[in-house]
Amino acid sequence: MARIMTQLDILSKDAMGAGASSVNVVDHKGEIIAKAIESCLVDWGIQNLLTVTFDNATGNDARRISDWKGVIMENNFLHVKCNAHILNLIVKEGLSEQNKSISRVRNVVKYVLSSCARTTYFKAYVDKVKLDTRGLLSLDVEMRWNSIYLMLNTAVKFEKAFSRMYIDDHKYFKYFLDSCGKIEHPSSEDWRDVNVFLKFLEIFYQTTLKFSSTLHVTSNTFFHELFNLQSIIVNYSKCDDFLLTGMAKKMKGKFDKYWGDFDVMNMLLLLVAVVLDPRFKMKYVKFIFKNYYNFVERCSKSIKVTDTLTSLYNHYKKSIVGTSCETIGDQTDAVSEVSAMYTSDVWQSQWDKFLEKENNNIDNKPDLDKYLEDDVEKIKYFNILTWWKASFERYPVVSRIARDMLAIPTSIVASESVFSTSDRIFYCYRSSLSPKTAEALVCSQQWLRQHLHNVRLKIFYKKFKILK
């Protein structure tokens, strides 16, 4: 049975304490997933829904909930696709021709980790070749490229130990000799290739961590990472190293397929999130478009972003009753007229009245126009949520849009990993564990984590009391 994990951007205050949930589904068809999402929303009592973030399969469709009464913008932006999944497809496409080198390195790691005796014996060779490293070998999950990166990144540090073991250890040598060529030991060329594209993959690994972060806002940083990756892929596709050039060209094909067209992907909201970052605004979006698109394309894309933001503003303005900026102008006009009656200097009174009207014209502007016209913030250490909280009075409507746009998660990896423990517990060398033993391992791990968490809380409270 599969599980569906979704990150929901909820606009209902009652949903703040709803928590995460999982629903068993029989398959990954769009209709089944839509029913599961609807079931969760009904169970939580949620009506106001802006977006749902889940993977990018074309069959995934949430139209079942598009006719809800409390939907926002008629669910035009309902489906936000998991960008970490797309990045996974892009990187795996680039690695597809390097499977031989990766498989050979994976084989030696599997051999060492297959038993405690082999692991102990391998450590002796690490000491023998005098490797100064504290890292430990880790086996990857082949369906997740970032775990492949971590495995390779650790394994290359022990290249000398593997080579020495291949020369001195008869059993280790015989293991690869008896395979009749099916299992090959990594050659010096394999290690060289792994080292070359590890430097390339590290950029994508760091991007994956940023997409799946849970400790800070991700929606306003997505396009910075996106265009940075585009530049890197284009540059590597033109470099002298044929290995990196081949990888980059294959990646570029996948990149253009998933991220090349705004109409295919629901990325306009994520562009709006960039505009709602006061350090960048619409100026940054136009700057990026200018560097990547021709005149016609960048004008078209800029208009789409502006129209989307304007539509959101009009929708939110209708839903907000009695904003503070709507009554300021009338009050100040009345004050200026009264003060003019008791002014001895006629010219001075008229000048004051003129200034009052000018100020009123500024205050009566839509706060979206004021926000876009104001200078961008130049702050080194910046907390975007704190900034919008402090700017609520100046931009009452836009701040509500920002509150919801910045809550959009760009990835479901963080929630999905909570349930995807099977590949990390069971692999070919552990597949013989009995169900009772496997259950004991999982439950013990969870208990130890909770126990450690409770211990840390007790230490924190003790320190807090002392400080207090």
Side-chain angles (χ1 to χ4, degrees), residues 334-346 348-349 352:
V335 172
S336 62
E337 290 176 3
V338 172
S339 61
M341 293 173 60
Y342 299 96
T343 304
S344 57
D345 189 341
V346 177
Q348 183 65 38
S349 65
D352 291 340

Side-chain angles (χ1 to χ4, degrees), residues 100-336:
K100 290 184 179 179
S101 298
I102 295 173
S103 297
R104 289 165 187 164
V105 175
R106 183 184 293 116
N107 288 333
V108 296
V109 175
K110 280 184 177 181
Y111 176 89
V112 172
L113 295 179
S114 60
S115 70
C116 294
R118 289 179 176 179
T119 303
T120 304
Y121 206 56
F122 177 74
K123 289 180 180 179
Y125 279 97
V126 174
D127 296 335
K128 187 178 291 187
V129 297
K130 298 180 180 181
L131 287 176
D132 185 18
T133 179
R134 298 180 181 179
L136 297 175
L137 293 173
S138 62
L139 194 60
D140 65 315
V141 179
E142 295 185 34
M143 295 303 295
R144 295 190 176 185
W145 83 266
N146 54 334
S147 67
I148 298 175
Y149 166 80
L150 293 173
M151 177 200 69
L152 298 176
N153 190 43
T154 307
V156 294
K157 299 175 183 178
F158 298 98
E159 178 185 352
K160 291 182 179 180
F162 284 118
S163 300
R164 184 67 175 270
M165 195 172 176
Y166 188 68
I167 296 171
D168 294 350
D169 188 352
H170 178 69
K171 292 182 179 179
Y172 182 68
F173 177 79
K174 193 171 182 294
Y175 173 79
F176 293 97
L177 188 65
D178 291 346
S179 64
C180 299
K182 294 180 181 178
I183 303 177
E184 298 180 23
H185 192 270
S187 62
S188 58
E189 288 77 13
D190 290 325
W191 290 112
R192 185 195 69 83
D193 291 347
V194 168
N195 276 292
V196 167
F197 59 74
L198 265 178
K199 295 178 182 179
F200 184 34
L201 294 180
E202 185 178 5
I203 302 165
F204 295 87
Y205 175 71
Q206 295 299 332
T207 304
T208 301
L209 294 181
K210 292 177 182 178
F211 282 172
S212 56
S213 174
T214 58
L215 299 180
H216 61 80
V217 179
T218 59
S219 60
N220 64 317
T221 61
F222 166 71
F223 268 91
H224 305 298
E225 302 301 326
L226 176 68
F227 288 108
N228 182 47
L229 285 178
Q230 187 178 26
S231 298
I232 292 169
I233 291 174
V234 171
N235 290 335
Y236 272 108
S237 64
K238 300 175 182 178
C239 71
D240 296 332
D241 193 314
F242 74 93
L243 178 65
L244 293 180
T245 301
M247 289 178 60
K249 287 181 178 179
K250 293 177 75 68
M251 287 181 177
K252 189 176 184 304
K254 283 286 185 180
F255 186 98
D256 294 339
K257 176 181 178 181
Y258 290 108
W259 284 333
D261 190 351
F262 292 170
D263 295 328
V264 176
M265 286 280 299
N266 182 10
M267 297 198 296
L268 284 172
L269 277 191
L270 298 178
L271 270 171
V272 168
V274 176
V275 177
L276 294 175
D277 190 326
R279 296 168 296 176
F280 303 105
K281 300 188 179 181
M282 196 64 199
K283 297 175 183 177
Y284 178 81
V285 175
K286 291 180 178 179
F287 167 75
I288 289 294
F289 287 169
K290 185 178 180 181
N291 286 276
Y292 287 95
Y293 303 107
N294 59 44
F295 178 79
V296 176
E297 286 181 320
R298 65 174 179 257
C299 288
S300 174
K301 293 181 185 298
S302 296
I303 291 172
K304 286 183 180 180
V305 176
T306 304
D307 290 346
T308 302
L309 182 57
T310 303
S311 299
L312 284 168
Y313 180 81
N314 293 333
H315 176 87
Y316 276 75
K317 189 175 182 180
K318 290 179 182 178
S319 63
I320 298 172
V321 179
T323 55
S324 59
C325 61
E326 293 175 353
T327 57
I328 294 175
D330 295 336
Q331 293 175 354
T332 51
D333 280 339
V335 172
S336 62

Side-chain angles (χ1 to χ4, degrees), residues 4 70 90 125 265 410 429 468:
I4 175 175
I90 293 172
Y125 279 97
M265 286 280 299
T410 59
Y429 295 111
K468 190 175 181 182

Side-chain angles (χ1 to χ4, degrees), residues 362-391:
I362 296 174
D363 289 335
N364 288 330
K365 277 187 177 182
D367 57 328
L368 176 60
D369 293 342
K370 288 192 289 185
Y371 170 74
L372 295 176
E373 291 173 5
D374 287 347
D375 293 334
V376 297
E377 295 287 344
K378 296 180 179 180
I379 305 174
K380 188 174 182 181
Y381 301 103
F382 183 77
N383 187 317
I384 189 170
L385 298 179
T386 303
W387 190 91
W388 274 111
K389 183 178 180 180
S391 304

Side-chain angles (χ1 to χ4, degrees), residues 47-100:
Q47 291 185 344
N48 294 339
L49 181 65
L50 175 61
T51 64
V52 181
T53 303
F54 51 106
D55 68 34
N56 62 299
T58 54
N60 288 346
D61 190 3
R63 286 177 295 180
R64 185 181 182 85
I65 54 179
S66 62
D67 57 349
W68 279 30
K69 182 179 180 181
V71 297
I72 296 174
M73 296 288 292
E74 299 180 353
N75 276 344
N76 291 330
F77 308 108
L78 182 64
H79 182 191
V80 175
K81 298 182 180 181
C82 176
N83 291 293
H85 282 184
I86 296 174
L87 187 60
N88 178 51
L89 295 174
I90 293 172
V91 178
K92 287 182 71 175
E93 181 69 17
L95 291 174
S96 59
E97 293 186 355
Q98 302 302 323
N99 280 337
K100 290 184 179 179

